[in-house]
Amino acid sequence: MLKLAACIGNQFDLRTLAIVSEQSETETAASLWKALQEGLVLPTTEVYKFFQYNGHDSDSNPLNCNVQVPIYKFLHDRVQQAAYSLIPGEQKQFTHLKIGQLLLQNTSESQQEERIFEIVSQLNRGILLITQPTERQQLAQLNLNAGRKAKEATAYVAAIHYFYSGMQLLPINSWEIAYELCGQIFDDQLDLAYAVIDGIKARGEKGNYSTKRIKFNSNDSG
């Protein structure tokens, strides 16, 4: 359980961990109990007690009762890293991909935008394992959505990463078979480049700046 939690991050909520562990919330809370007792994981609020006390009833689902979702955090970054290191190297990409797929499957379209960074970051870490063209195109669209959200938040470095990942997911003939998606990613990259340049000008920064620092073409890296 801690290995999956470590894949999510230093802080995680019970609902997400239940989804990726494919267990009920109460079963997941019960699985975390030993780590809580040992102080490896800490609850951020007292809400977790409600789930622990109901742990004997694995069929119950407190989240349907408008109960606040418990949030936990690792005692220290090193504890998270230690738990993460227990996952064999060859399984890490598969684990992240599986987590991303489960999150995507269990997130409604209305909630997808809210969790887009979380979902895409997991899927991207397993990107080399995605070989089906339809799945790669779906992830390219998700990266476009994430890039746009990051750009709106002026998180330009993250936006560059998402847009570039989206282009890399498309095939060499992407302009022929996925013209609209390819064009959208390209246009958003271009808009981002102008936004970065405008931001630099607004701050009065001097020096050479080239939009070549942002990769626009899907096949630049071969």
Side-chain angles (χ1 to χ4, degrees):
M1 186 63 68
L2 285 185
K3 290 185 288 186
L4 289 175
C7 287
I8 298 173
N10 181 262
Q11 183 168 289
F12 55 93
D13 65 78
L14 184 63
R15 175 179 293 155
T16 298
L17 188 58
I19 289 173
V20 303
S21 64
E22 299 183 86
Q23 296 182 344
S24 70
E25 291 84 3
T26 48
E27 288 173 328
T28 304
S31 297
L32 279 176
W33 181 239
K34 184 177 180 180
L36 285 168
Q37 288 181 310
E38 295 177 351
L40 299 176
V41 171
L42 306 174
T44 60
T45 67
E46 296 296 308
V47 179
Y48 81 98
K49 294 180 179 179
F50 180 87
F51 292 81
Q52 299 299 156
Y53 296 154
N54 283 276
H56 63 279
D57 181 7
S58 60
D59 293 327
S60 65
N61 187 359
L63 294 181
N64 291 332
C65 303
N66 296 320
V67 177
Q68 183 182 355
V69 180
I71 298 176
Y72 307 87
K73 65 179 181 180
F74 282 95
L75 174 65
H76 193 278
D77 288 343
R78 292 181 180 177
V79 176
Q80 178 197 359
Q81 293 165 5
Y84 187 73
S85 69
L86 295 176
I87 304 174
E90 67 274 11
Q91 293 184 16
K92 282 185 168 67
Q93 289 188 46
F94 175 79
T95 302
H96 283 290
L97 177 59
K98 183 65 174 178
I99 289 174
Q101 291 171 334
L102 287 169
L103 289 175
L104 183 61
Q105 293 167 9
N106 289 275
T107 302
S108 65
E109 289 188 12
S110 61
Q111 295 177 321
Q112 197 175 99
E113 182 179 356
E114 180 182 345
R115 307 194 70 174
I116 191 68
F117 296 144
E118 184 180 4
I119 294 171
V120 173
S121 64
Q122 293 290 343
L123 291 173
N124 281 352
R125 296 189 71 170
I127 202 169
L128 296 179
L129 302 178
I130 303 175
T131 58
Q132 293 298 319
T134 53
E135 293 180 2
R136 291 179 67 85
Q137 188 167 327
Q138 179 190 39
L139 183 52
Q141 179 66 59
L142 291 172
N143 270 281
L144 172 60
N145 297 343
R148 285 174 170 173
K149 185 173 182 178
K151 185 177 68 173
E152 290 175 2
T154 66
Y156 294 146
V157 173
I160 291 171
H161 170 74
Y162 290 127
F163 290 146
Y164 179 67
S165 295
M167 291 297 280
Q168 292 300 303
L169 281 158
L170 297 176
I172 295 176
N173 60 339
S174 57
W175 284 104
E176 299 175 9
I177 66 174
Y179 177 82
E180 183 176 355
L181 177 58
C182 190
Q184 288 176 337
I185 297 176
F186 183 88
D187 289 343
D188 273 274
Q189 285 182 316
L190 190 59
D191 289 342
L192 177 60
Y194 285 124
V196 171
I197 293 173
D198 289 343
I200 291 175
K201 289 180 178 179
R203 292 195 302 270
E205 294 183 8
K206 298 181 180 180
N208 294 326
Y209 181 84
S210 173
T211 56
K212 292 180 180 179
R213 293 175 61 185
I214 301 177
K215 297 182 179 180
F216 294 102
N217 298 319
S218 60
N219 303 304
D220 284 349
S221 62

